Amino acid sequence: MQKYKLAIFDLDGTLLNTIGGIAKSMNNVLQSHNLATHDIEKYTSFVGNGLKILAKRALGFDVSDDELDSYYKELLVQYEKHYMLDIAPYDGIINMLRKITKKGYKIAINSNKVDYMLDKIVDEIFGEFSWVKVVGVCDNLPSKPDKAGVELIIKTAGVRHDEAVFIGDTDVDIQTSHNANVDAIYVPWGFRKPHEINESNYKSVKDANELTNLLLSNFKS
């Protein structure tokens, strides 16, 4: 592996378990339209490409773009109410961030969560850390797996592509790293299990402690 100065993290399924609030919010939307709801396990297969795509997957039938936008707006309203439901950092994540930032790592987040909700969540749960950049979904920036978010982070951090690594839990994250020409680390504690990853050319770890050690041993001062 390369030596790194910058660690870019996905949020949902990588740093935080957010599935409870997502499931509650979308199920509320579905119930309001007398549509079938889903259990939390099902929602883990819906996440990864942002809440609008999640809404489309949860509906389970074709809708027009305008209809999807309407469901998506309802979902955002619900999510603003329920985003903190059962939300928690995964085991060892806070300790990992403390150790790598003490070592000198620059850290950033690239998520497919809508930007204003991403900022709110990061401020509330990871406010002790100084993030180089927190990039979510907004009108002027394509979502992952487009490389635009990573490129913006790398430019802001002032590092080379070979000095950055992307850490995530889904194919989308690994595709993003490949599109941006940065190394990838897959974490198995999130929303996609190892057998569900169809990409190649990535490093994997078993837990946050192993991730910590991997990042520390590959730090470039």
Side-chain angles (χ1 to χ4, degrees):
M1 295 183 72
Q2 303 282 352
K3 296 290 186 176
Y4 309 117
K5 294 182 176 181
L6 170 66
I8 306 171
F9 295 91
D10 169 55
L11 185 77
D12 303 74
T14 299
L15 297 177
L16 283 179
N17 186 347
T18 56
I19 202 69
I22 292 171
K24 171 69 173 176
S25 301
M26 189 65 218
N27 277 342
N28 282 356
V29 173
L30 294 170
Q31 285 177 331
S32 72
H33 293 275
N34 295 315
L35 297 171
T37 60
H38 308 282
D39 60 27
I40 283 183
E41 187 64 29
K42 189 67 175 177
Y43 276 102
T44 64
S45 68
F46 293 159
V47 297
N49 297 90
L51 289 180
K52 181 178 283 190
I53 301 300
L54 178 137
K56 183 177 182 179
R57 291 168 177 164
L59 287 168
F61 55 86
D62 291 334
V63 293
S64 68
D65 289 344
D66 287 344
E67 288 173 319
L68 181 58
D69 283 341
S70 179
Y71 283 111
Y72 175 56
K73 289 175 182 176
E74 291 181 41
L75 174 55
L76 288 179
V77 170
Q78 289 294 323
Y79 193 52
E80 288 179 26
K81 298 177 182 177
H82 302 293
Y83 71 95
M84 289 295 288
L85 179 65
D86 297 330
I87 196 170
Y90 288 101
D91 289 346
I93 289 298
I94 297 294
N95 190 47
M96 178 272 297
L97 291 172
R98 287 172 178 163
K99 285 186 175 181
I100 68 169
T101 52
K102 183 178 181 180
K103 185 76 172 180
Y105 263 98
K106 298 179 179 182
I107 56 172
I109 292 174
N110 186 197
S111 170
N112 276 344
K113 190 179 293 296
V114 62
D115 58 351
Y116 71 90
M117 289 300 302
L118 176 63
D119 290 341
K120 181 192 292 283
I121 291 169
V122 172
D123 285 346
E124 291 185 19
I125 298 180
F126 298 114
E128 71 177 88
F129 302 104
S130 296
W131 301 90
V132 169
K133 195 76 176 175
V134 175
V135 178
V137 173
C138 57
D139 291 339
N140 60 352
L141 200 68
S143 59
K144 298 183 299 183
D146 193 281
K147 66 179 183 178
V150 173
E151 295 289 354
L152 176 59
I153 290 168
I154 288 174
K155 182 178 180 180
T156 304
V159 302
R160 301 194 310 265
H161 286 71
D162 64 358
E163 295 173 329
V165 60
F166 197 108
I167 301 102
D169 68 307
T170 68
D171 278 337
V172 173
D173 298 315
I174 299 172
Q175 290 164 10
T176 303
S177 72
H178 291 169
N179 291 339
N181 196 29
V182 302
D183 283 354
I185 300 174
Y186 161 73
V187 300
W189 53 75
F191 301 146
R192 297 290 187 279
K193 301 308 177 188
H195 70 273
E196 298 176 282
I197 301 297
N198 298 313
E199 296 296 309
S200 57
N201 298 320
Y202 62 89
K203 179 72 175 177
S204 62
V205 294
K206 64 181 181 181
D207 54 31
N209 185 58
E210 186 173 343
L211 175 61
T212 304
N213 293 334
L214 179 63
L215 291 174
L216 292 177
S217 64
N218 287 280
F219 176 66
K220 181 178 182 180
S221 58

